[in-house]
Amino acid sequence: MYEGAVQDLIDELGRLPGVGPKSAQRIAFHLLASDTADVRRLAEALLEVKARVQFCETCGNVAESERCRICADPRRGDDVICVVEEPKDVVAIERTREFRGRYHVLGGAINPIENVGPDDLRISQLMTRLADGAVTEVILATDPNVEGEATATYLSRLIAPMGVTVSRLASGLPVGGDLEYADEVTLGRAFEGRRVVGG
Amino acid sequence: MYEGAVQDLIDELGRLPGVGPKSAQRIAFHLLASDTADVRRLAEALLEVKARVQFCETCGNVAESERCRICADPRRGDDVICVVEEPKDVVAIERTREFRGRYHVLGGAINPIENVGPDDLRISQLMTRLADGAVTEVILATDPNVEGEATATYLSRLIAPMGVTVSRLASGLPVGGDLEYADEVTLGRAFEGRRVVGG
């Protein structure tokens, strides 16, 4: 046990995800040895994020006003909505520069083990967005794991009867990967989704 | 890239030791979803530690006043000083409840690759503490690695001529470990340091 303030900091750091007691101690001593200005900047960044960041009323992405940058951008198409689990998925897709529509962030995936059901996700807000008929396609970009697939299946059953095209991101071999290292499920999906390329 | 405040926080978190860009993102989103009170507690712990914690004038350990708790404790013996690299080593040794003397924290170890020489460590302060002759033994508890051993060798050459007993913590097999998994250097040390137990 350290003296008061050091132990308090170690305890607080240890509550962060992925930070164990050893890392918390290492970070605390790093900060002790750092310039006060650096530590103050971190403390201010923490307070700023809580003071300024909220969630977009339309899509659920992180935002610094009522609507996020993407929902507020008039150059983006209103006909396609890409549904993702978390704001970090929006960032990942934006990096590809492939998609110019809007997003909808669910805030997670259906997960019976962790007691997350459809009512815990922003699904009713998605239905409201689809109600006026402006959206012609919904791309389900939930994670390619059990929870993400279950969520995509649930959503496709809900949305398809509305006459909206529902699509799912392709599964297959990662680009730049080695076929022999692909797991069997991924390789199976790559076969299933094979495309005719010649003749 | 996220909007301003979120990205600022990710950047600041990513500067911490052992926190990569992915962890920084995960921690940032965890904090976004946390109660403001929790985030405020972390920010305050950061500022508190810089405002209140200093280094003990005598031994170099972390302290909340000019002297640390151990140096200020009249029940501890003044005849033995245990020399360690970092404040966290003091905590580790205190946990054993084996040692009732004082400490001296060097603030690191001699490391030519990282340009840390004897003058960068609190060695002259240690010499000053030994000058009045009250100390009869110095226990060198620097890490059992190349830098720690080099530092211990340097210190023993410096201190031994003063007529003070210089000792080094025992190296050997870790208790509860498996002999077959011990590395050869540790096993070699365990042989070297073997003790007669019977007859």
Side-chain angles (χ1 to χ4, degrees):
Chain A
M1 286 292 291
Y2 294 89
E3 303 196 27
V6 180
Q7 189 61 44
D8 287 351
L9 179 58
I10 294 174
D11 291 346
E12 290 298 331
L13 290 168
R15 288 197 182 93
L16 300 176
V19 180
K22 288 270 169 193
S23 315
Q25 184 175 294
R26 188 152 49 115
I27 294 172
F29 278 105
H30 168 86
L31 292 168
L32 262 174
S34 301
D35 284 348
T36 302
D38 291 344
V39 178
R40 192 174 297 274
R41 261 212 324 280
L42 172 57
E44 277 160 11
L46 285 163
L47 297 173
E48 272 295 286
V49 94
K50 292 307 278 188
R52 281 175 46 199
V53 178
Q54 42 188 303
F55 293 95
C56 173
E57 286 183 357
T58 308
C59 76
N61 191 10
V62 291
E64 293 197 3
S65 55
E66 280 168 21
R67 301 182 85 192
C68 73
R69 279 194 305 196
I70 294 167
C71 285
D73 186 345
R75 293 164 304 174
R76 313 245 345 181
D78 282 317
D79 50 340
V80 188
I81 290 182
C82 177
V83 177
V84 296
E85 295 182 16
E86 303 287 354
K88 60 177 180 260
D89 302 323
V90 172
V91 178
I93 294 170
E94 284 295 285
R95 264 199 297 263
T96 69
R97 297 172 192 275
E98 286 283 336
F99 179 66
R100 298 297 300 161
R102 311 284 183 179
Y103 289 94
H104 192 83
V105 180
L106 294 173
I110 294 171
N111 187 343
I113 294 164
E114 298 204 352
N115 240 332
V116 180
D119 295 343
D120 301 309
L121 306 175
R122 299 183 69 263
I123 292 176
S124 63
Q125 290 92 329
L126 175 61
M127 293 304 132
T128 309
R129 290 178 73 184
L130 299 178
D132 68 0
V135 176
T136 58
E137 182 180 357
V138 171
I139 302 172
L140 299 174
T142 50
D143 287 344
N145 56 23
V146 176
E147 293 79 21
E149 296 288 359
T151 310
T153 305
Y154 179 89
L155 289 174
S156 66
R157 284 187 192 152
L158 211 61
I159 299 167
M162 301 171 82
V164 175
T165 303
V166 180
S167 60
R168 180 93 178 101
L169 291 191
S171 284
L173 297 174
V175 178
D178 236 19
L179 193 139
E180 63 176 308
Y181 297 131
D183 65 284
E184 57 208 45
V185 179
T186 302
L187 201 50
R189 290 282 178 83
F191 266 92
E192 255 179 62
R194 69 189 180 278
R195 292 162 63 174
V196 178
V197 288
Chain B
M1 288 291 291
Y2 294 90
E3 302 196 29
V6 180
Q7 190 61 44
D8 288 349
L9 178 59
I10 293 174
D11 291 346
E12 290 298 333
L13 290 168
R15 288 198 183 94
L16 300 176
V19 179
K22 287 270 169 192
S23 314
Q25 183 175 295
R26 188 153 50 114
I27 295 172
F29 279 105
H30 168 85
L31 292 169
L32 262 176
S34 303
D35 285 348
T36 303
D38 291 344
V39 178
R40 191 174 298 276
R41 261 213 322 280
L42 172 58
E44 278 161 10
L46 285 163
L47 297 173
E48 272 293 286
V49 95
K50 291 307 280 188
R52 281 174 45 200
V53 178
Q54 42 187 305
F55 292 96
C56 174
E57 285 182 0
T58 308
C59 76
N61 191 11
V62 291
E64 293 198 4
S65 55
E66 280 168 23
R67 301 182 84 191
C68 73
R69 277 194 306 196
I70 294 167
C71 285
D73 185 346
R75 291 164 305 175
R76 312 243 350 179
D78 281 317
D79 50 340
V80 188
I81 290 183
C82 178
V83 177
V84 296
E85 295 182 16
E86 303 287 353
K88 58 177 181 264
D89 302 324
V90 172
V91 177
I93 294 171
E94 284 295 286
R95 265 199 296 264
T96 68
R97 299 172 189 274
E98 286 283 337
F99 179 65
R100 298 297 300 160
R102 311 281 183 183
Y103 289 93
H104 193 82
V105 180
L106 295 172
I110 295 172
N111 186 342
I113 294 165
E114 298 203 350
N115 240 330
V116 180
D119 293 343
D120 301 310
L121 305 175
R122 299 182 71 260
I123 292 176
S124 63
Q125 290 91 329
L126 175 62
M127 292 305 132
T128 309
R129 289 179 74 184
L130 299 178
D132 67 0
V135 175
T136 57
E137 181 178 358
V138 171
I139 303 172
L140 300 173
T142 51
D143 286 344
N145 55 23
V146 176
E147 294 78 21
E149 296 288 358
T151 310
T153 305
Y154 179 89
L155 288 175
S156 66
R157 283 185 195 154
L158 212 60
I159 299 167
M162 301 172 81
V164 175
T165 304
V166 180
S167 60
R168 178 97 178 97
L169 290 189
S171 283
L173 298 174
V175 178
D178 237 19
L179 192 140
E180 63 177 308
Y181 297 131
D183 66 284
E184 58 209 44
V185 180
T186 302
L187 201 50
R189 290 285 178 82
F191 267 92
E192 255 179 62
R194 68 188 180 279
R195 292 163 63 176
V196 177
V197 289

